[in-house]
């Protein structure tokens, strides 16, 4: 059985930590933007003008039925 040697990765430790922090920051920003868009869309569906409600509902149905 082969053993894993992670000693070679230690020289890249700073880059790995930096990449991890950037990934976490990007994830946080994307989650906040997605939440803001979702809340705005939900508010528009509940109290927006009829064409806006139709457009948002149409978009949601289109995305729900899209194959993975």
């Amino acid at each position: 059985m082969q053993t894993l040697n992670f000693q070679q990765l230690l020289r890249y430790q700073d880059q790995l930590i930096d990449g991890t922090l950037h990934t976490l920051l990007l994830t946080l920003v994307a989650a906040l933007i997605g939440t803001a868009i979702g809340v705005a869309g939900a508010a528009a569906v509940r109290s927006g003008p009829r064409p806006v409600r139709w457009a948002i509902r149409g978009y949601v149905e289109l995305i729900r039925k899209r194959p993975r």
Side-chain angles (χ1 to χ4, degrees):
M1 177 176 242
Q2 197 172 15
T3 60
L4 298 175
N5 182 8
F6 293 103
Q7 291 296 325
Q8 297 175 6
L9 293 177
L10 289 179
R11 65 179 150 177
Y12 300 110
Q13 182 178 8
D14 292 339
Q15 288 96 341
L16 290 169
I17 291 171
D18 189 48
T20 301
L21 293 175
H22 277 91
T23 300
L24 291 173
L25 178 63
L26 182 61
T27 301
L28 176 65
V29 169
L32 291 173
I33 291 171
T35 299
I37 291 171
V39 168
V45 166
R46 289 188 50 93
S47 61
R50 187 172 292 172
V52 172
R53 286 184 279 169
W54 288 347
I56 292 173
R57 285 185 182 147
Y59 173 78
V60 169
E61 289 302 318
L62 178 72
I63 295 301
R64 279 186 185 168
K65 293 182 175 150
R66 194 179 96 209
R68 294 179 192 216

